[in-house]
Amino acid sequence: MAKKSVATLQTNSKRLTKAIKMVKSPKTGAYTFVEAVMAPELVDQFLKNK
């Protein structure tokens, strides 16, 4: 499973990070990408969850 944090976004007073995770579908075996924008501290937790 590929994991990558691709961008750091900064708005007003908050720093945000966009994380993209590649997830394999159990039914079809195809890969899909899940994207989320979050605080930098939460990126590791997001990437560890399946």
Side-chain angles (χ1 to χ4, degrees):
M1 181 166 53
K3 303 174 191 177
K4 187 172 186 180
S5 177
V6 292
T8 300
L9 311 170
Q10 192 165 3
T11 60
N12 295 340
S13 63
K14 294 183 180 180
R15 279 191 62 208
L16 299 174
T17 301
K18 181 177 182 181
I20 300 174
K21 176 170 52 171
M22 192 165 77
V23 180
K24 188 173 183 178
S25 171
K27 290 184 180 179
T28 64
Y31 286 94
T32 59
F33 294 94
V34 178
E35 298 181 17
V37 177
M38 65 197 73
E41 302 83 35
L42 302 175
V43 172
D44 289 333
Q45 181 181 359
F46 170 75
L47 294 176
K48 287 180 184 176
N49 293 340
K50 287 189 176 184

